[in-house]
């Protein structure tokens, strides 16, 4: 199964991709996570991407397409994958179609998260994650069971993303509207587009996704 989760920053793509990967045995391919790993490692790609990400803009298509092509090749052969944060431009969407065609793979669904954008700032600025295992939390919506201790690994250090400041979120939303939302009609025309209510509770959104994808 190959699915794309599509929606503005903070709509819940990463949260739901983590859950679907467990339930369906899929590999989560998050271009945002790949880029953050590249920045942390100080690689050429990371150095090129750092300032762009901190400004809330999109990293150039050629960099992203090369990065995802490598990961799709490596993920091929399993149960499939969830694309989280890719594609984000028309050029990326068309490149993905070519990559899938070349590897004899088929895109099943593109799932759009419908959200009230006023709520996204609160979601994004309240987000943090475990510095050891990367599991995500939120100050209000998803706190660890014990304050200051990661539920998954017991880690006691947490971090926040550099681009999760309120001023950067506005630029990220602008990039979504100008460059990413325009690819929705492309998938609508292919008959692959479906939607979930991203304002529902996290468990409810997972339920909606499972209804769309078939129960497990
Ligand atoms: P990326 O990492 O992809 O960030 P994003 O798309 O802005 O998405 P987020 O990770 O912020 O949000 P999300 O939708 O995953 O929400 P989450 O589940 O975390 O990209 C970062 C940057 O990298 C980009 O700005 C760009 O520069 C670059 N980049 C990446 N891909 C690129 C590409 N393809 N091309 C070019 N550049 C690229 O949820 C957010 C919070 O809300 C969490 O705390 C969560 O607990 C909470 N939450 C989630 N769902 C709910 C709910 N239903 N109710 C209440 N709270 C909820």
């Amino acid at each position: 199964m190959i699915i794309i989760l599509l929606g503005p920053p903070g709509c819940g793509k990463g949260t739901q991709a983590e859950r679907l990967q467990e339930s369906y045995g899929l590999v989560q391919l998050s271009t945002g996570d790949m880029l953050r790993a590249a920045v942390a490692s100080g690689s050429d790609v990371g150095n090129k991407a750092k300032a762009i990400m901190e400004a809330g803009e999109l990293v150039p298509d050629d960099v992203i397409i090369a990065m995802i092509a490598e990961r799709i090749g490596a993920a091929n052969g399993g149960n499939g994958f969830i694309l989280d944060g890719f594609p984000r431009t028309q050029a990326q969407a068309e490149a993905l179609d070519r990559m899938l065609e070349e590897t004899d793979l088929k895109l099943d669904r593109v799932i759009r998260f419908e959200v009230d954008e006023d709520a996204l700032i609160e979601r994004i600025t309240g987000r943090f994650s475990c510095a050891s295992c990367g599991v995500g939390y939120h100050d209000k919506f998803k706190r660890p069971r014990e304050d200051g201790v990661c539920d998954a690994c017991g880690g006691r250090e947490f971090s926040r993303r550099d681009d999760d400041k309120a001023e950067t979120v506005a630029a990220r939303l602008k990039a979504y509207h100008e460059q990413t939302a325009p690819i929705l009609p492309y998938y609508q025309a292919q008959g692959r587009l479906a939607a979930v209510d991203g304002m529902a509770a996290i468990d409810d959104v997972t339920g909606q996704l499972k209804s769309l994808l078939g129960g497990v």
Side-chain angles (χ1 to χ4, degrees), residues 7-87:
C11 69
K13 303 181 295 293
T15 302
Q16 297 300 333
E18 254 177 41
R19 291 172 163 221
L20 294 179
Q21 106 170 319
E22 275 172 30
S23 306
Y24 289 85
L26 302 172
V27 176
Q28 176 188 6
L29 296 178
S30 158
T31 42
D33 286 348
M34 292 173 206
L35 288 167
R36 280 182 288 280
V39 170
S41 74
S43 68
D44 283 352
V45 167
N47 292 336
K48 222 185 267 180
K50 189 173 189 296
I52 299 172
M53 292 170 79
E54 281 173 6
E57 293 166 4
L58 295 187
V59 173
D61 286 333
D62 57 338
V63 174
I64 296 289
I65 290 166
M67 196 171 73
I68 204 83
E70 199 180 299
R71 299 298 284 267
I72 284 180
N76 193 2
N79 287 349
F81 44 88
I82 308 165
L83 292 162
D84 159 16
F86 176 89

